[in-house]
Amino acid sequence: QYSARDPWGAYWALVTLSPVLILAVYVAAFLHRRDLIFVRVLLGHIGCEALNGRLKREIQEPRPTSVLGMGYGMPSSHAQFSGFFCAFWCWHIVAHWPRRDPSLVRGVWLRRAEQGASLLLVLACTALTCYSRVHLMYHTADQVKVGVALGRGGVREMDAVDQANAQPSPSVLAVQPAR
């Protein structure tokens, strides 16, 4: 919903739906490439959404306007989605894109330009989505800030779980006495 007097209202209403569009892209990308990274990030988003629902029930902070119904606004689930999206993909782009590989047909400078453009696109998508939530009065700025912080924290937690599962536990490495 947006004010009919706002000339940019329709644009911001579309921008605020970007998490729904991103989910569709994840599904399409997985079906096309069969790359498990998209399942992993989708599961991370689902975990964040579960946390968001629980926090909204516990905090019960209203939205800035009652026009949107009876739901709670703290934390913003769209901002939390965007924070997770931004943190995950920025980390993935920086950590997993090849830095210097002589076998690349394109030059390293072109690869870095692609990396930079991808990072800017992710950051812009996140910033625009968060701004749209406040501009349309779906959330307060604080509700959006908390949502983004929780989304970023979700990536850190997911990475910690991955690191713990990737390394063998000390008990596996210990020598077992002969019986």
Side-chain angles (χ1 to χ4, degrees):
Q1 294 181 5
Y2 58 92
S3 171
R5 291 177 276 149
D6 183 358
W8 290 88
Y11 167 76
W12 292 119
L14 286 174
V15 168
T16 203
L17 293 175
S18 65
V20 176
L21 301 173
I22 290 169
L23 288 174
V25 169
Y26 288 160
V27 172
F30 173 73
L31 292 174
H32 175 69
R33 296 187 55 190
R34 303 281 194 250
D35 192 345
L36 290 179
I37 190 78
F38 299 106
V39 173
R40 183 171 175 246
V41 74
L42 185 59
L43 290 174
H45 280 299
I46 291 169
C48 277
E49 190 61 30
L51 174 65
N52 186 278
R54 181 175 175 198
L55 289 174
K56 281 188 179 197
R57 286 188 301 277
E58 289 180 13
I59 298 170
Q60 297 186 0
E61 182 176 308
R63 293 178 182 270
T65 179
S66 61
V67 174
L68 299 172
M70 300 299 295
Y72 298 116
M74 175 65 91
S76 167
S77 60
H78 284 72
Q80 188 170 343
F81 182 100
S82 295
F84 185 91
F85 168 80
C86 183
F88 182 88
W89 288 110
C90 285
W91 166 80
H92 183 74
I93 289 166
V94 170
H96 295 290
W97 282 23
R99 299 209 191 283
R100 292 185 184 180
D101 186 352
S103 67
L104 289 175
V105 175
R106 295 170 283 176
V108 173
W109 66 271
L110 183 57
R111 192 64 173 161
R112 293 218 188 261
E114 290 173 348
Q115 189 177 28
S118 297
L119 289 169
L120 284 175
L121 182 65
V122 167
L123 291 168
C125 182
T126 299
L128 290 172
T129 301
C130 292
Y131 174 80
S132 72
R133 302 304 290 178
V134 176
H135 178 83
L136 295 171
M137 293 180 32
Y138 294 170
H139 294 283
T140 65
D142 287 341
Q143 291 170 345
V144 168
K145 288 175 191 173
V146 169
V148 170
L150 288 170
R152 290 177 56 205
V155 172
R156 283 193 295 272
E157 288 300 315
M158 189 171 76
D159 188 49
V161 168
D162 288 350
Q163 292 300 321
N165 290 330
Q167 299 172 359
S169 67
S171 63
V172 172
L173 298 176
V175 177
Q176 299 294 325
R179 293 182 184 202

